[in-house]
Amino acid sequence: PPTGPQAQPLQPMNLDEAPTATKGQIVITAQKSAFFDADLGYGIYVGDVRARHPQMYIECEELELHMVKGKGMAETKPAPSTKDLDILVQPKKAESDGPPIEKADARGPMVTVEKMSEDGELQVGHCKHLIYDGKTGNTTLLIWPQVQIGNKLHKSTEPGCIMIIDPKGKLSTSG
């Protein structure tokens, strides 16, 4: 009889090795491909993408990132120690007078965002398309969005519903 993959016990995760973003840094990992042009301030990451920003955490299948023009970005390199393509993006100098991200566009069958509200409560959002606007700080969840805060779940009843989380954690819904 043909043999296929055999079940194996799960290996424990070593949380000490998990990359963490420090102030002003954005850590992005991608399984399939990662491209970032420091001159244009544009990057696209594909395949089980995980992005840790000082204000939020995003998991998606594809992430398109636009950095603020005129702010030079530090060189980015894949980390040789892992199979993932680990990308570290940070401002070159002390140019942190404004947010370095102009726009982030996350897409996939399931996009997850984790963000802290102003009072320190964790907000977890799910959707199929997420847009983060660096100018306003708003996070827009599109296509079947839902947001959970504590034991409260705010869920859409149609795909055209739009949920917006502002920088202070206030949730507004239309549709």
Side-chain angles (χ1 to χ4, degrees):
T3 61
Q6 302 296 318
Q8 296 182 6
L10 292 174
Q11 300 297 320
M13 278 182 54
N14 185 354
L15 297 177
D16 294 335
E17 294 177 9
T20 57
T22 59
K23 186 175 182 180
Q25 291 184 342
I26 304 160
V27 178
I28 302 171
T29 61
Q31 293 286 330
K32 291 184 182 175
S33 67
F35 168 79
F36 186 79
D37 187 333
D39 294 331
L40 296 175
Y42 171 78
I44 189 159
Y45 309 90
V46 180
D48 193 22
V49 179
R50 297 167 193 261
R52 181 153 314 274
H53 182 269
Q55 290 129 6
M56 72 178 71
Y57 172 75
I58 298 174
E59 288 183 8
C60 60
E61 188 59 31
E62 183 178 316
L63 177 66
E64 189 175 334
L65 190 65
H66 299 268
M67 304 303 279
V68 175
K69 290 181 175 55
K71 291 194 176 191
M73 295 296 125
E75 186 68 28
T76 61
K77 298 177 187 174
S81 63
T82 64
K83 293 181 183 177
D84 293 348
L85 298 171
D86 296 340
I87 306 297
L88 177 66
V89 181
Q90 61 185 353
K92 262 187 183 174
K93 301 174 189 166
E95 300 176 6
S96 57
D97 47 342
I101 296 178
E102 185 176 330
K103 178 183 175 187
D105 195 340
R107 298 174 292 276
M110 176 62 74
V111 177
T112 301
V113 61
E114 295 178 3
K115 187 173 180 174
M116 297 300 279
S117 68
E118 190 175 45
D119 56 353
E121 198 168 19
L122 179 66
Q123 299 173 316
V124 180
H126 298 287
C127 61
K128 293 182 184 245
H129 188 186
L130 178 135
I131 299 171
Y132 170 75
D133 184 356
K135 293 175 186 168
T136 62
N138 289 343
T139 305
T140 305
L141 289 80
L142 306 162
I143 309 175
W144 293 110
Q146 67 181 35
V147 176
Q148 183 170 358
I149 304 167
N151 63 352
K152 299 173 193 136
L153 177 64
H154 190 74
K155 190 173 181 178
S156 67
T157 56
E158 61 180 40
C161 182
I162 299 172
M163 293 184 187
I164 300 172
I165 304 173
D166 74 2
K168 294 181 179 180
K170 182 182 175 192
L171 177 68
S172 60
T173 304
S174 65

